[in-house]
Amino acid sequence: MTDEADRQTSFPTSSKHVRFVELSSTAMSALLEGDLPAASNTAGVALTEYFVTDRAQWLWRIRIDEMAADPRHARWIARQAVTGPEGVVIGHAGFHGPPDEAGMVEIGYAVAPDFRRQGYGRAILIELLRRAAAEPAVKTVRATISPDNVASLATIAGFGFVKVGEDWDEEDGLGLIFEVPANRSY
């Protein structure tokens, strides 16, 4: 299959469906204080203890700083992944920021432990890719994944991601860098 033909091929679907709800800096601040009721009230959905773990709080600190530095980043980062009519929060997702000068955005997502291995990671990935494809400024979608993260590596399989390199992060260690054109059929 040629690269052009591959770009026109639709990737696999998911039996699960998610929608994203913005996680404001006010909600993230409440999460940093460990105040789940206030964060949930602000967010408009019931957040769980998963949103106040050390790893989650590390992320909220970064995102709050990014949003304070440039409020335009808010629409790109920190969304809750919600499913069903009752609005069950199954994780969080977003981009690491707006597209860079080459039109690249990097995705980030996490599924809460109670919802793992049920297809929600795939559903979140599909929604992130659809959002990227809908943005004219986005040309490439990147995912950086630890070589030990078998679940995430399996999640991106079948979506056309190609390994383009590796990086080293002080927090996360070795990361394998994968990219896919944003203009695929979603």
Side-chain angles (χ1 to χ4, degrees), residues 149-162:
N149 190 338
V150 176
S152 286
L153 292 170
T155 298
I156 69 166
F159 286 85
F161 281 90
V162 174

Side-chain angles (χ1 to χ4, degrees), residues 101-179:
E101 61 281 346
M104 187 275 296
V105 292
E106 185 165 358
I107 58 173
Y109 58 93
V111 178
D114 289 349
F115 298 97
R116 291 181 183 156
R117 302 189 59 75
Q118 298 176 39
Y120 287 112
R122 183 181 199 85
I124 289 170
L125 177 59
I126 289 168
E127 187 58 28
L128 286 168
L129 291 170
R130 282 190 182 133
R131 286 174 178 252
E135 291 286 341
V138 177
K139 307 298 180 217
T140 304
V141 177
R142 175 177 285 178
T144 302
I145 302 170
S146 165
D148 299 330
N149 190 338
V150 176
S152 286
L153 292 170
T155 298
I156 69 166
F159 286 85
F161 281 90
V162 174
K163 183 181 173 194
V164 297
E166 298 177 351
D167 78 345
W168 181 264
D169 180 83
E170 290 299 319
E171 182 77 24
D172 296 324
L174 178 64
L176 306 178
I177 302 170
F178 298 89
E179 292 182 348

Side-chain angles (χ1 to χ4, degrees), residues 20-23 28 58-60 62-64 66-67 70 72-81 92-100 103-110 123-144 161 178 180-182 186:
F20 294 149
V21 176
E22 182 178 342
L23 193 58
M28 285 185 260
W58 169 83
L59 179 62
W60 309 143
I62 290 171
R63 296 303 184 228
I64 287 171
E66 289 172 343
M67 291 165 57
D70 189 341
R72 294 174 298 174
H73 285 209
R75 75 182 199 93
W76 291 94
I77 59 177
R79 305 257 180 244
Q80 300 146 111
H92 55 84
F95 300 97
H96 290 226
D100 67 11
M104 187 275 296
V105 292
E106 185 165 358
I107 58 173
Y109 58 93
I124 289 170
L125 177 59
I126 289 168
E127 187 58 28
L128 286 168
L129 291 170
R130 282 190 182 133
R131 286 174 178 252
E135 291 286 341
V138 177
K139 307 298 180 217
T140 304
V141 177
R142 175 177 285 178
T144 302
F161 281 90
F178 298 89
V180 66
Y186 301 117

Side-chain angles (χ1 to χ4, degrees), residues 15-36:
S15 62
K16 304 291 184 177
H17 300 281
V18 298
R19 62 185 166 86
F20 294 149
V21 176
E22 182 178 342
L23 193 58
S24 69
S25 59
T26 303
M28 285 185 260
S29 292
L31 289 170
L32 286 174
E33 294 170 7
D35 190 344
L36 276 174

